[in-house]
Amino acid sequence: MGREHTGGAMPTMDVDRSDIEYRVWLKEAVRRVQADANRSADTHLLRFPLPERWGIDLYLKDESTHPTGSLKHRLARSLFLYALCNGWIRPGKPVIEASSGSTAVSEAYFAKLIGVPFVAVMPRTTSAEKCRLIEFHGGQCHFVDDPRVIYAESAALAERTGGHYMDQFTYAERATDWRGNNNIAESVYQQLRLERYPEPAWIVATAGTGGTSATIARYVHYMQYDTRICVADPENSCFFDGWTKGDPDATSDSGSRIEGIGRPRMEPSFLPGAIDRMMRVPDAASVAAVRALETVLGRKAGGSTGTGLWSAFKIVAEMVAEGRTGSVVTLLCDPGDRYLDKYYSDAWLAEQGLDIAPYTEAVRTLLATGVWPEAVTG
């Protein structure tokens, strides 16, 4: 028998006032992050012109039109919602992130949106424009000389400050809703509905965390599409070796010159078993491809866009050679104005010892003839 209430004030549970205040703050923080998604229109799918007779259509998903100017805006939003709903981000406590730049720009934006401090732990070689954008959105830049220590330094900084280490390299693949909900993969297929090849033969991604390729590959498998997924990897990255050798412990001793992609270790969010193919792309080829994009579409983009576009060009050439038709999709990851002192600087290329001339000529030959020059490696 339960106890009967015989009058007077009803008994109440003691609730900590600080917990009530936190739950009020949490509701408002989640609302603000979700409202950002509701305000943002979807990004465009640009068509890269190819000769009609080839029967092949090439598209770039233009992620540079997000409020923070890159593909990483989607990731940052997902990471913030994931961390907020897990109770990891707390009022007044800093969010710490290990990043090569673009993710940090987007996370600084969301940290400011919900009113918490943000600190980006980055290699000292990160472009000056990215650093400016992080600070513009209210974040701080914490530099390290060795890119391989950004993980440990981020965790230590979070420990010292009582903040939360976001750890995009671990949580990118699990924070994103890969089944749909307007993720990047679902968006691509919706935008291709009225095209002549609505189900692409290939989607080409590049990998920093590996979260984007994981999201796209999972969605393709979930929806039972026949699309194949290719991941393009730059020099000084271990992903290609780890994938080809089946080695989860593969490492690289050097940092990537193509900001935003390529890693010195196999990141937890990179899912080798979900993808169909990888290509290693020379850094000079990435620069040549991104400059070709500017020539053809009048759009400057970052080096990671060039890495994916170079691989997409190679796939197009293979399809032409084999007489296959269909569509190929790759990503325009972020705008080129963040890299004017790098990929658009001949002085920087000379300093790095990069000769883009043979790769530039290879792209010209492909677009004119459909033939991939055998002499060009990568």
Side-chain angles (χ1 to χ4, degrees), residues 137 265 274:
H137 291 298
R265 70 176 191 182

Side-chain angles (χ1 to χ4, degrees), residues 64-88:
S64 71
T65 57
H66 283 294
T68 53
S70 83
L71 168 69
K72 300 300 185 180
H73 193 85
R74 293 180 190 266
L75 172 59
R77 183 193 297 129
S78 295
L79 288 169
F80 265 81
L81 286 173
Y82 190 73
L84 283 166
C85 293
N86 284 339
W88 295 342

Side-chain angles (χ1 to χ4, degrees), residues 5 9 42 55-56 65 73-74 78 86 93 97 121 158 164-165 216 257 290 295 312 318 327 339-340 352 356:
H5 180 59
D42 200 3
I56 300 170
T65 57
H73 193 85
R74 293 180 190 266
S78 295
N86 284 339
K93 298 296 185 180
E97 184 61 287
V121 180
H164 170 58
Y165 171 28
I216 294 172
R257 288 181 292 203
V290 85
T295 299
E318 292 169 1
S327 57
Y339 311 98
L340 297 180
Q352 297 294 317
I356 69 172

